[in-house]
């Protein structure tokens, strides 16, 4: 060993320095929430894996180039981290490729750039300075390996990467398919791999868009003309019944219809909602189905805003947040409404910050608009009672009429809550999830009751309509056994579909003509229905849903997995059931379901094509 040769190769030292630096930045300079020691461990490991991935490539270069490569990659890597940190300080989010090209984001940043700089940011470049210095010294820190050694050094990259991905999947199952949140991705795979992932998603979306052409939209238009007969029928006495009123739309987390009128040990689970649905001022659609898929809450939002189906894979809110839409908030804005969303979670969850801007919401009150303390939070964060209470002041500041969407959070899997805040017993079954579910549902019921009172106290109630909608199921098929025990019947395909019913109530103060409606309807129908109630014409809209109040309506609800419910039938898993009896239809008559099945599949396909091809850019909604 020569004296001028230092033992530790620079690429290893660079990996350690850069890896630890990145961990420290994640941990102390970003504001990432670390919920358990596994997350902490992954947060520590992934920067080392990423650093190794980048620096190990250098073993294939000659000594001089090795040094140059390490200098520049450490600098570029640090710049990427730095720019993300600056962006994060402004938006509490990470950069995505589409966002980079969005003028307003960049402009926002240049305006406030200096105020976003902190002196400790110099730390991000400390390892760069060290690497830069060492790489320029006379002693040689390069490494020269035989080909096998080079291959071995590279192979370690894949081992580390695979290990990281496996840990991430254990910590957050389906992380890569569902992409809930950029923060989760960054926490689990690191900012560099996250950018690679983002780039591959972006390439895929762009390719699909480029390959699409405008001719298909007229085919879809004529299909919809024929098959969603309502179009813009005004022939219901509810047309315009809520004209010029505020709309307070509450998306009620994980709330399924079976909770209504249920009891645990003789106590009603949802006394407030039980009364509300029977109120003279409420129209309750008891056969209303959610139609969401992997995008969960965001899918329900997407369906309601656009009357399009969600995608079968991934969340549209992530995959196609840049598309042209003709969304409800945009339409309402044009009609003079102020539009806003209230949701006390981080703004980037489900890419909401990006999507909301695209579909035209004026304001988004996220977690940072609320005072969250250990006393007023549990589960996913700020508890709903505090959420509603703290929202009132913002709601009062809206220009009327307004359209405001509230998304609750407390009644979310795993439905656990402090016993001293629970006002109903747990259920007793083999499923902890179902046992807890009633307690958080009761909590939601109480928070809604308080919210109604707060709206009255704030003087907002009389001039508003309040729409309550369940976003999706809370109890998955995994709990069928316990669910069967609760309902006193076995959960087969037919019952499973029944369980996809979620509340949909339109509460119109002073209306007095409310009642229970039996029609088979779903989230896809919400947009045309709301516009109908508000007396807003949308005859050139392209929607897969129909106005729920129209006489002549499309008579089935398609689920994303190809199941459907029509007035007569329920179809799921290849089995056709009689909707009124729940009896399986005998094989020789099972084709009864086929015509609707074909239509359902056709609609899902058309909707996918609209989204993947961004086909609305070829359509003029204001003909
Ligand atoms: C997160 C909340 C819950 O912000 O909307 O999302 P979910 O897991 O129900 O889709
Ligand atoms: Mn949800």
């Amino acid at each position: 060993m020569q004296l001028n040769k230092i033992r530790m190769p620079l690429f290893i030292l660079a990996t350690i320095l850069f890896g630890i630096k990145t961990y420290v930045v994640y941990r102390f300079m970003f504001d990432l929430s670390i919920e358990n020691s596994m997350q902490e461990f992954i947060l520590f490991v992934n920067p080392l894996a990423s650093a190794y991935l980048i620096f190990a490539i250098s073993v294939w270069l000659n000594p001089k180039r090795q040094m140059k490569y390490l200098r520049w990659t450490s600098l570029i890597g640090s710049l990427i981290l730095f720019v993300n940190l600056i962006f994060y300080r402004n938006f509490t989010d990470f950069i995505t490729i589409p966002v980079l090209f969005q003028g307003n984001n960049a402009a926002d940043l240049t305006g406030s750039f200096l105020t976003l700089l902190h002196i400790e940011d110099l730390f991000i470049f400390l390892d760069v300075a060290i690497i830069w210095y060492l790489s320029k010294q006379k002693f040689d820190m390069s490494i020269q390996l035989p080909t096998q050694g080079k291959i071995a050094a590279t192979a370690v990259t894949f081992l580390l990467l695979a290990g990281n991905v496996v840990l991430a999947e254990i910590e957050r199952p389906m992380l890569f398919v569902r992409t809930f949140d950029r923060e989760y991705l960054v926490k689990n795979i690191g900012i560099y791999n996250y950018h690679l992932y983002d780039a591959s998603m972006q390439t895929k979306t762009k390719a699909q868009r480029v390959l699409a052409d405008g001719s298909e939209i007229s085919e879809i238009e004529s299909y919809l003309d024929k098959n969603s007969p309502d179009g813009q029928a005004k022939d219901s006495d509810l047309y315009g019944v809520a004209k010029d009123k505020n709309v307070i739309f509450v998306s009620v987390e994980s709330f399924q219809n079976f909770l209504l009128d249920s009891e645990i040990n003789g106590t009603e689970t949802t006394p407030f909602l039980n009364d509300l649905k029977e109120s003279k001022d409420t129209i309750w659609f008891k056969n209303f189905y959610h139609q969401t898929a992997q995008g969960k809450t965001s899918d329900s939002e997407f369906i309601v805003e656009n009357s399009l189906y969600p995608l079968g894979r991934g969340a549209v809110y992530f995959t196609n947040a840049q598309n042209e839409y003709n969304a409800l908030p945009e339409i309402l804005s044009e009609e003079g409404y102020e539009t806003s969303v209230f949701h006390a979670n981080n703004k980037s969850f489900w890419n909401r910050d990006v999507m909301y801007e695209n579909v035209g919401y004026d304001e988004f009150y996220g977690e940072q608009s609320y005072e969250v303390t250990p006393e007023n939070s549990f589960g996913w964060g700020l508890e709903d009672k505090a959420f509603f209470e703290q929202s009132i002041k913002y709601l009062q500041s809206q220009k009327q009429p307004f359209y405001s969407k509230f998304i609750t959070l407390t009644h979310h899997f795993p439905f656990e809550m402090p016993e001293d805040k629970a006002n109903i017993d747990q259920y007793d079954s083999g499923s902890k999830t179902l046992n807890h579910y009633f307690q958080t549902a009761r909590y939601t019921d109480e928070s809604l009751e308080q919210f109604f009172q707060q709206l009255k106290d704030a003087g907002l109630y009389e001039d508003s309509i309040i729409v309550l909608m369940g976003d999706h199921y809370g109890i998955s098929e995994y709990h069928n056994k316990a669910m069967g025990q609760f309902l006193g019947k076995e959960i087969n395909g037919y019952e499973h579909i029944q369980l996809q019913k979620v509340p949909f109530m339109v509460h119109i103060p002073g209306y007095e003509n409310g009642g229970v409606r039996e029609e088979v309807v779903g989230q896809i129908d919400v947009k045309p229905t709301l516009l109908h109630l508000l007396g807003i014409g949308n005859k050139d809209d392209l929607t897969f849903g129909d106005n729920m109040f129209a006489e002549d309506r499309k008579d089935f609800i398609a689920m994303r997995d190809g199941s459907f419910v029509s007035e007569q039938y329920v179809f799921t898993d290849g089995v056709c059931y009689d909707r009124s009896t729940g009896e399986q239809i005998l094989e020789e008559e099972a084709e009864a379901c086929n015509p609707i099945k074909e239509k359902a599949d056709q609609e899902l396909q058309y909707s996918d094509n609209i989204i993947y091809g961004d086909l609305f850019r070829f359509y003029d909604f204001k003909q």
Side-chain angles (χ1 to χ4, degrees):
M1 159 113 205
Q2 304 152 353
L3 265 181
N4 65 349
K5 179 104 184 163
I6 298 232
R7 249 227 174 90
M8 182 184 279
L10 190 58
F11 97 90
I12 297 284
L13 182 68
T15 300
I16 295 170
L17 290 178
F18 193 93
I20 292 177
K21 180 266 299 280
T22 310
Y23 167 74
V24 171
V25 174
Y26 287 164
R27 192 69 181 85
F28 302 106
M29 296 172 80
F30 285 95
D31 184 21
L32 306 178
S33 56
I34 304 295
E35 287 143 27
N36 54 48
S37 45
M38 174 74 157
Q39 285 188 358
E40 182 83 64
F41 179 68
I42 297 176
L43 196 72
F44 179 74
V45 169
N46 81 54
L48 288 165
S50 307
Y52 187 88
L53 164 85
I54 297 168
F55 296 133
I57 295 172
S58 70
V59 301
W60 295 88
L61 305 171
N62 69 33
K64 199 165 159 222
R65 290 191 162 202
Q66 243 180 60
M67 293 300 110
K68 195 166 171 189
Y69 175 86
L70 292 174
R71 278 199 294 273
W72 284 99
T73 46
S74 67
L75 177 63
I76 293 167
S78 302
L79 281 171
I80 292 174
L81 191 61
F82 173 64
V83 173
N84 271 288
L85 182 64
I86 297 291
F87 185 85
Y88 186 88
R89 286 193 185 127
N90 209 38
F91 301 106
T92 342
D93 198 358
F94 300 91
I95 297 173
T96 62
I97 294 172
V99 152
L100 269 188
F101 297 102
Q102 249 169 40
N104 48 354
N105 268 320
D108 268 10
L109 264 191
T110 33
S112 50
F113 184 74
L114 282 181
T115 58
L116 297 170
L117 280 182
H118 296 182
I119 184 77
E120 66 265 24
D121 297 349
L122 286 174
F123 170 74
I124 296 179
F125 298 95
L126 184 63
D127 62 318
V128 183
I130 297 172
I131 292 163
W132 209 274
Y133 172 78
L134 291 176
S135 70
K136 293 240 175 200
Q137 286 306 307
K138 288 210 180 56
F139 48 78
D140 184 5
M141 288 183 78
S142 66
I143 186 167
Q144 278 154 294
L145 296 168
T147 309
Q148 275 162 333
K150 290 177 185 164
I151 292 173
T154 311
V156 173
T157 303
F158 295 105
L159 275 182
L160 286 172
L161 266 185
N164 187 180
V165 168
V166 169
L167 284 177
E169 269 294 314
I170 295 173
E171 167 42 33
R172 239 350 116 154
M174 298 181 67
L175 176 70
F176 301 101
V177 183
R178 291 187 52 197
T179 14
F180 322 77
D181 185 10
R182 277 182 285 283
E183 183 174 318
Y184 284 2
L185 273 175
V186 171
K187 275 197 299 202
N188 281 290
I189 59 169
I191 209 146
Y192 307 100
N193 292 332
Y194 152 72
H195 282 306
L196 291 177
Y197 176 86
D198 179 53
S200 74
M201 294 267 288
Q202 175 70 4
T203 315
K204 205 172 123 204
T205 311
K206 278 272 169 293
Q208 281 162 328
R209 187 174 187 275
V210 166
L211 293 173
D213 77 79
S215 59
E216 202 185 342
I217 199 74
S218 33
E219 183 187 328
I220 297 174
E221 189 183 2
S222 50
Y223 170 89
L224 289 175
D225 278 349
K226 262 207 307 280
N227 293 284
S228 287
D230 165 50
Q232 190 43 29
K234 297 183 177 141
D235 54 358
S236 109
D237 32 344
L238 281 127
Y239 185 79
V241 72
K243 198 166 177 45
D244 296 328
K245 295 219 175 195
N246 306 312
V247 181
I248 298 171
F249 185 96
V250 187
S251 167
V252 188
E253 179 59 47
S254 301
F255 201 103
Q256 286 169 253
N257 266 9
F258 77 84
L259 289 163
L260 299 170
D261 294 323
S262 71
E263 285 186 3
I264 299 290
N265 300 336
T267 307
E268 273 181 288
T269 315
T270 58
F272 174 69
L273 289 176
N274 293 349
D275 286 351
L276 189 75
K277 69 181 167 49
E278 309 292 340
S279 145
K280 283 212 249 10
D281 289 349
T282 303
I283 305 163
W284 174 40
F285 282 89
K286 66 185 294 197
N287 294 311
F288 177 94
Y289 296 82
H290 85 82
Q291 292 163 289
T292 64
Q294 291 181 328
K296 303 297 290 287
T297 312
S298 73
D299 276 355
S300 77
E301 296 181 65
F302 178 76
I303 305 169
V304 167
E305 279 147 1
N306 300 291
S307 192
L308 294 172
Y309 293 98
L311 294 174
R313 186 178 181 283
V316 196
Y317 260 48
F318 264 103
T319 57
N320 295 79
Q322 305 297 324
N323 280 13
E324 288 275 332
Y325 292 110
N326 184 43
L328 188 61
E330 294 169 75
I331 297 172
L332 293 178
S333 286
E334 271 163 35
E335 297 290 326
Y337 286 74
E338 180 159 349
T339 57
S340 55
V341 184
F342 296 76
H343 181 47
N345 195 9
N346 74 48
K347 286 191 169 185
S348 69
F349 203 100
W350 289 130
N351 201 25
R352 286 185 173 108
D353 46 353
V354 176
M355 186 65 164
Y356 284 172
E357 187 160 334
N358 186 24
V359 297
Y361 284 108
D362 297 321
E363 289 104 28
F364 176 17
Y365 299 93
E367 189 179 10
Q368 284 167 328
S369 301
Y370 296 88
E371 203 182 314
V372 188
T373 64
E375 290 73 41
N376 72 9
S377 55
F378 62 86
W380 272 56
L382 184 68
E383 54 185 273
D384 291 344
K385 286 179 187 171
F387 162 62
F388 283 126
E389 193 186 329
Q390 292 184 35
S391 299
I392 294 286
K393 57 178 180 297
Y394 299 125
L395 199 56
Q396 279 175 311
S397 72
Q398 311 279 298
K399 180 172 76 49
Q400 303 202 21
F402 55 74
Y403 173 84
S404 293
K405 167 162 76 175
F406 287 77
I407 306 171
T408 71
L409 196 55
T410 303
H411 184 47
H412 191 289
F413 180 83
F415 312 108
E416 284 168 9
M417 65 182 293
E419 273 303 317
D420 63 331
K421 290 185 178 174
N423 291 325
I424 190 167
D425 293 342
Q426 289 188 17
Y427 181 56
D428 182 16
S429 75
S431 158
K432 240 171 91 178
T433 305
L434 182 64
N435 297 350
H436 287 300
Y437 188 67
F438 296 90
Q439 292 194 322
T440 44
R442 170 55 172 263
Y443 179 96
T444 297
D445 189 72
E446 291 163 7
S447 66
L448 287 169
E449 181 171 19
Q450 290 185 5
F451 184 45
F452 270 62
Q453 189 56 49
Q454 285 151 354
L455 290 173
K456 288 176 187 165
D457 297 344
L460 292 168
Y461 176 78
E462 295 294 333
D463 296 327
S464 306
I465 65 166
I466 302 155
V467 182
L468 301 182
M469 185 192 83
D471 63 348
H472 48 76
Y473 68 80
I475 302 298
S476 69
E477 280 172 280
Y478 181 73
H479 305 277
N480 271 356
K481 199 161 158 243
M483 204 58 239
Q485 177 191 327
F486 180 76
L487 296 176
K489 52 186 164 191
E490 194 196 330
I491 312 298
N492 62 2
Y494 173 83
E495 293 299 338
H496 170 71
I497 296 292
Q498 302 305 308
L499 284 169
Q500 307 315 306
K501 290 181 192 173
V502 295
F504 186 75
M505 301 178 198
V506 181
H507 183 75
I508 309 173
Y511 175 57
E512 301 218 325
N513 280 320
V516 183
R517 313 282 292 225
E518 304 276 344
E519 291 86 343
V520 171
V521 291
Q523 289 170 332
I524 200 104
D525 299 319
V526 172
K527 179 186 180 193
T529 305
L530 283 181
L531 290 172
H532 184 81
L533 291 171
L534 297 176
I536 296 171
N538 67 335
K539 68 179 173 2
D540 296 318
D541 204 356
L542 296 181
T543 64
F544 287 95
D546 258 349
N547 163 20
M548 297 179 203
F549 299 107
E551 285 287 310
D552 183 18
R553 15 184 350 270
K554 190 180 92 181
D555 80 334
F556 68 91
I557 282 298
M559 317 260 171
R560 185 58 249 194
D561 66 358
S563 305
F564 71 77
V565 184
S566 69
E567 295 295 336
Q568 259 184 304
Y569 305 110
V570 168
F571 177 86
T572 188
D573 274 343
V575 183
C576 185
Y577 299 89
D578 181 311
R579 187 169 84 92
S580 56
T581 64
E583 298 289 326
Q584 190 169 334
I585 291 176
L586 297 173
E587 214 163 304
E588 50 279 15
E589 288 156 28
E591 65 272 12
C593 273
N594 287 353
I596 303 181
K597 174 74 183 132
E598 273 164 33
K599 273 192 191 170
D601 289 344
Q602 177 71 76
E603 292 204 352
L604 291 166
Q605 184 66 52
Y606 277 150
S607 179
D608 282 356
N609 294 353
I610 290 173
I611 297 167
Y612 285 131
D614 191 5
L615 296 184
F616 280 177
R617 71 198 142 118
F618 302 117
Y619 187 78
D620 181 6
F621 285 97
K622 299 185 185 72
Q623 295 158 13

